[in-house]
Amino acid sequence: MQSRLEDSIKEAAKAIVKMASVSPALDVKNAIKNSLNIEVHEPSKVQLNAILENINLAERYNAAVCQDTGVPTFFIRLGDGFPIRSGLFKILTEAVREVTRELPLRSNTVDPVSEKNSGDNTGLGVPVFDVELFDGNYLEMIYTPKGGGTELPSKAFVIPPGNAWEKLPRLVLDAVVDAGPMPCPPVIVGVGIGPSMDVAAKLAKKAAILRPVGSRNSNPEVAKLEDALLRAVNKLGIGAHGTGGVVTALDVHIEYAYRHPATFAVGIVFSCWATRRARAVVYPDGKYEVKPQ
């Protein structure tokens, strides 16, 4: 029974790694299509059409949608009653190795000391695992490969809290300007606010890659700020792949946690037009469901 469940976990993991590698998330793909109805700058429209053709070809030939196949990242919700726990990382790591060979995927894991590439998208600290426990008996995992071009312009700050909300829009807009075409716009801008720099950065990453385009924070004031920042970012004129235009960002998402009274930590993380994610749920009897996100 345990062996069967392990096999199911690996099969489900391989399925979502392949699915996420071949095509952007459904909401992202639809947002790119809708951008063609908004964009007025012809060079940017050419880029948007090229992106959509790129997606169509990748899906037709079952090939990676971007040459940067990203850092393998799993966001995991692990039920208290799920039978496999400590062995989960080993199973998911092997799934990444196998898909890297089979699809294939470019290997993006390099030892920072020796500069040697592992060749299979695994290594010390990779894949990246983010685990949340909950009261249940099943395993839920979302796979997302995060590209290097979107990580380069990421930023994190800790600023005095006195007028932090007033400063926040300028921090976000400056980050978008500094990033320019590097993160392959149109982008999703994730903003995280929290008690420390690492928490803010993680919230920003989740905001950028996990939340669907068009979703809004449950806090009405924060939701208004998301709308205002999206309008402001798209007035910068960067456009698709930096060619100019009115669609620089598909969305801006803000996530927050309670902070320390003396600090206001901010993370800003970008996700590109090829924001990729897929979801699987595995049950204790070995049955599983795989869905695009």
Side-chain angles (χ1 to χ4, degrees), residues 222-233:
V222 177
K224 287 179 185 177
L225 181 56
E226 290 174 330
D227 285 333
L229 284 171
L230 178 60
R231 290 192 297 270
V233 167

Side-chain angles (χ1 to χ4, degrees), residues 206-228:
K206 289 183 175 181
I209 61 179
L210 294 184
R211 274 183 48 188
V213 173
S215 65
R216 285 292 168 262
N217 193 286
S218 59
N219 184 309
E221 293 302 312
V222 177
K224 287 179 185 177
L225 181 56
E226 290 174 330
D227 285 333

